[in-house]
Amino acid sequence: MQSQPMIILGEDSQRMKDKDAQSHNISAARAVAESVKSTLGPKGMDKMLVSSIGDVTVTNDGVTILTEMDIDNPTAEMIVEVAETQEDEAGDGTTTAVAIAGELLKNAEDLLEQDIHPTSIIRGFHLGSERAREEVGNVAVEVDPEDEEILKSVAETSMTGKGAELNRDVLVDLVVRAVQSVTVEADDGSYITDLEFLDIETQTGRSVSESELLEGAVVDKDPVHSDMPTDVEDAGVLLLDTAIEVEEAEADAQLNLDSPDQLQEFIEQEEQQLKDMVEDIADTGANVVFCQKGIDDMAQHYLAKEGILAVRRVKKSDIEFLSELLETRIVSDFDSISADDVASGRVTRDETDELFYVEGEDGHGATLLLRGSTDHVVDELERGINDALDVVSSTVADGRVLPGGGAIEVELADRVRDYADSVEGREQLAVEAFADSLELVPRVLAENAGLDSIDTLVDLRAAHEDGDEHAGLNVYSGDVVDTFEASVVEPAHAKQQAIASASEAANLVLKIDDIIAAGDLSTSGGDEEEGGAPGGGMGGGMGGMGGGMGGMM
């Protein structure tokens, strides 16, 4: 009896342990990194993502690529979370973070084959990450948050390689002015940027160069009635997220009428309800209504008679932005409506673009109106602009920047290697592997630009050994240049976050030594028999997606 194994798992359960589990997880995580690696840098390529319902997205934004992909592997999803965290915390650098995480796991696999325990590797990666982030602070250059040239350089670096690149002179200026419009100086002298007061609207059929920054909000809707005013200088604005309609009965109702007069009375009663609603609005002093829901045809007539401009089916995001801009609440119940809910402002109509411009009297805010020829163009443009806004606002708040073009990665790798000499035990090898992983960025930049990655890395190392901390790669000429002077600049906060996210994700994967699945493991990434290697199914499923992600290097 003692020699019989104790079976505690269900019949369909599968278990993968020790090296098999580690190899399976590393392969799945590396497959994610490989899928976006070719997107890095100004010369990176784009990806076409086709959803299950046929929607097409053409992008080189790392987090967009990973979130749109149909990934069915728990380990791979952990790496996707790296991109999402990087996007939330820094706004850019998603591809960098994911690519470094993949390279860390690749180097960790080599160490595992040398019988180095995962705990030692995890400890070494942690030490390397701490040191690298510390050195970022030492290499970073303090800048004046009001220095427009530096901010434009940061924005331009973020946009390069993305759809916004072709008209970057116009867009860079718009981005910097947009961030400055929602930035205030705190009492302690620091700067606070609140991007909630900045809205982004898009329009198709026009050139990207015609994009503009507007004070206030933009509402892409028409008046509900032709007799309504379109320009209201002294506007009393009311925001509604409830319909100006007679409420329908929750249950089906049947009316028995004895005469046509009863039907007429019923219709008149509905009309009176609508009239009362309009009178309630008029009594507050409002002469402009933005409604998120519908407005009944009869109510439209009464509103027009009262001289009230009304707009229906306004997007929820627009209503919320108007609430921020005008510093007023959104009314959800007609019974609670009052004059306090009416905000002062100015509403004007652009008949050419069929837009309403709304400016607040007390609140502040701005709208970035992006234009492009097609939906695909403006969608990618918006993603690039969002990244640029995030990194510029991060630079304003943090006040530190770094040289781009792979310069900071080579410098950090050199300093982490020097630090590795002081680390005892097998962790030293892991710290050195961490340094090697950082150099993935300049290597991939060179590969994506059609350059020899080995020669490029050798030249960069030589320049940094000679004391040039800002030596990076010019992907257009293939030369090693001072990227800081070349205006290839990145925010220090984004780089520190990318290093932290990558190392933490790699360590999380390495710490797993046992996978217990309720079903077939091959459906969550493949196994050695089906995929040719652990995680082969995952790699096979994702490997066909080529792509491009630029900007944050």
Side-chain angles (χ1 to χ4, degrees):
M1 289 293 293
Q2 292 180 354
S3 62
Q4 293 296 320
M6 177 68 71
I7 301 174
I8 60 173
L9 298 177
E11 291 183 2
D12 296 331
S13 299
Q14 287 195 358
R15 186 173 186 178
M16 192 179 291
K17 299 175 62 178
D18 302 327
K19 288 187 177 181
D20 288 339
Q22 290 163 349
S23 184
H24 175 90
N25 286 334
I26 289 172
S27 295
R30 285 181 59 192
V32 177
E34 289 293 327
S35 70
V36 295
K37 196 167 70 172
S38 62
T39 67
L40 189 66
K43 294 283 190 174
M45 304 298 287
D46 289 346
K47 288 187 183 293
M48 177 182 287
L49 305 169
V50 184
S51 72
S52 58
I53 60 173
D55 288 341
V56 176
T57 302
V58 179
T59 183
N60 56 11
D61 183 66
V63 71
T64 302
I65 293 166
L66 295 176
T67 53
E68 289 288 331
M69 289 168 65
D70 185 16
I71 294 176
D72 185 21
N73 183 288
T75 310
E77 288 172 357
M78 288 162 57
I79 302 301
V80 174
E81 289 176 4
V82 174
E84 293 173 343
T85 301
Q86 181 71 18
E87 181 75 8
D88 293 341
E89 295 297 324
D92 203 0
T94 52
T95 305
T96 299
V98 171
I100 291 176
E103 189 70 5
L104 284 170
L105 290 170
K106 175 186 174 183
N107 291 333
E109 195 165 31
D110 294 337
L111 295 176
L112 289 171
E113 290 177 358
Q114 299 174 37
D115 290 331
I116 296 176
H117 197 273
T119 304
S120 298
I121 300 173
I122 292 169
R123 174 65 178 163
F125 281 178
H126 177 73
L127 292 173
S129 173
E130 291 288 323
R131 186 67 176 202
R133 283 183 287 165
E134 182 183 327
E135 293 296 346
V136 166
N138 296 332
V139 178
V141 178
E142 298 282 344
V143 295
D144 184 351
E146 295 183 344
D147 187 340
E148 284 194 13
E149 289 305 312
I150 285 291
L151 297 182
K152 286 182 178 180
S153 296
V154 171
E156 186 173 344
T157 301
S158 176
M159 282 190 224
T160 303
K162 302 180 182 179
E165 180 181 10
L166 298 177
N167 299 91
R168 60 187 177 194
D169 290 341
V170 173
L171 297 173
V172 161
D173 181 61
L174 289 177
V175 166
V176 172
R177 288 197 291 118
V179 172
Q180 290 176 335
S181 70
V182 293
T183 299
V184 295
E185 187 173 359
D187 295 336
D188 60 359
S190 62
Y191 291 85
I192 300 173
T193 301
D194 192 349
L195 293 180
E196 286 188 3
F197 289 95
L198 180 64
D199 190 29
I200 298 179
E201 294 290 333
T202 60
Q203 265 193 338
T204 57
R206 301 274 290 275
S207 169
V208 175
S209 60
E210 296 181 63
S211 300
E212 55 185 320
L213 180 67
L214 304 168
E215 183 179 344
V218 172
V219 179
D220 186 9
K221 291 289 181 179
D222 296 319
V224 295
H225 197 285
S226 59
D227 292 339
M228 289 178 173
T230 54
D231 295 277
V232 185
E233 291 294 327
D234 187 16
V237 183
L238 181 66
L239 305 179
L240 298 175
D241 69 354
T242 184
I244 309 178
E245 298 173 344
V246 176
E247 291 186 15
E248 295 184 2
E250 292 184 4
D252 291 337
Q254 187 174 12
L255 299 177
N256 294 318
L257 303 176
D258 297 329
S259 68
D261 291 341
Q262 288 181 324
L263 176 61
Q264 185 61 32
E265 287 177 10
F266 185 78
I267 293 172
E268 288 176 357
Q269 187 176 1
E270 281 197 342
E271 289 180 0
Q272 186 60 44
Q273 282 184 274
L274 294 170
K275 193 172 183 179
D276 291 342
M277 286 183 177
V278 173
E279 287 178 356
D280 288 342
I281 293 172
D283 290 344
T284 64
N287 53 13
V288 176
V289 176
F290 290 105
C291 182
Q292 187 179 329
K293 305 289 179 62
I295 300 177
D296 188 274
D297 291 347
M298 187 58 68
Q300 295 174 22
H301 168 70
Y302 289 134
L303 287 165
K305 282 185 66 176
E306 292 285 349
I308 297 174
L309 167 61
V311 180
R312 66 178 172 180
R313 306 295 181 194
V314 180
K315 291 186 295 185
K316 181 181 179 181
S317 58
D318 286 346
I319 288 284
E320 290 174 345
F321 182 66
L322 286 169
S323 176
E324 296 280 356
L325 173 71
L326 300 171
E327 296 184 344
T328 187
R329 79 181 184 100
I330 302 170
V331 179
S332 300
D333 182 10
F334 267 97
D335 293 336
S336 65
I337 196 170
S338 70
D340 294 335
D341 299 322
V342 179
S344 299
R346 178 171 175 262
V347 179
T348 55
R349 176 74 172 170
D350 185 336
E351 292 295 349
T352 303
D353 291 331
E354 298 182 343
L355 300 171
F356 280 110
Y357 299 142
V358 184
E359 297 179 24
E361 186 176 278
D362 300 320
H364 73 284
T367 298
L368 198 51
L369 183 57
L370 302 178
R371 295 186 168 102
S373 56
T374 67
D375 287 334
H376 290 311
V377 170
V378 294
D379 287 347
E380 181 64 356
L381 179 64
E382 185 176 3
R383 282 187 284 267
I385 291 295
N386 270 317
D387 286 349
L389 288 169
D390 286 333
V391 296
V392 171
S393 61
S394 173
T395 303
V396 169
D398 188 49
R400 300 177 303 155
V401 294
L402 299 166
I408 183 61
E409 284 82 8
V410 176
E411 182 64 25
L412 291 178
D414 187 42
R415 297 188 179 204
V416 171
R417 281 195 194 93
D418 290 342
Y419 164 70
D421 293 337
S422 65
V423 177
E424 296 181 354
R426 297 189 174 192
E427 285 82 354
Q428 182 184 97
L429 297 176
V431 175
E432 290 175 352
F434 187 93
D436 293 338
S437 300
L438 293 174
E439 291 182 332
L440 170 78
V441 173
R443 283 195 285 112
V444 172
L445 288 176
E447 288 173 7
N448 292 347
L451 304 172
D452 188 290
S453 60
I454 296 176
D455 290 344
T456 299
L457 189 56
V458 168
D459 293 342
L460 286 171
R461 283 179 175 178
H464 282 263
E465 286 174 4
D466 290 339
D468 187 357
E469 294 180 354
H470 297 167
L473 174 64
N474 182 332
V475 296
Y476 299 101
S477 65
D479 298 330
V480 174
V481 299
D482 186 322
T483 50
F484 199 86
E485 288 186 1
S487 298
V488 181
V489 186
E490 301 173 351
H493 171 67
K495 191 64 64 179
Q496 286 180 316
Q497 180 63 43
I499 293 171
S501 299
S503 60
E504 288 170 7
N507 286 345
L508 188 60
V509 172
L510 289 172
K511 201 170 180 63
I512 299 169
D513 75 336
D514 202 345
I515 304 172
I516 303 172
D520 187 356
L521 279 172
S522 63
T523 62
S524 299
D527 53 27
E528 292 192 38
E529 292 180 2
E530 293 188 338
M538 177 72 192
M542 299 173 56
M545 306 185 71
M549 163 73 178
M552 190 69 215
M553 301 181 220

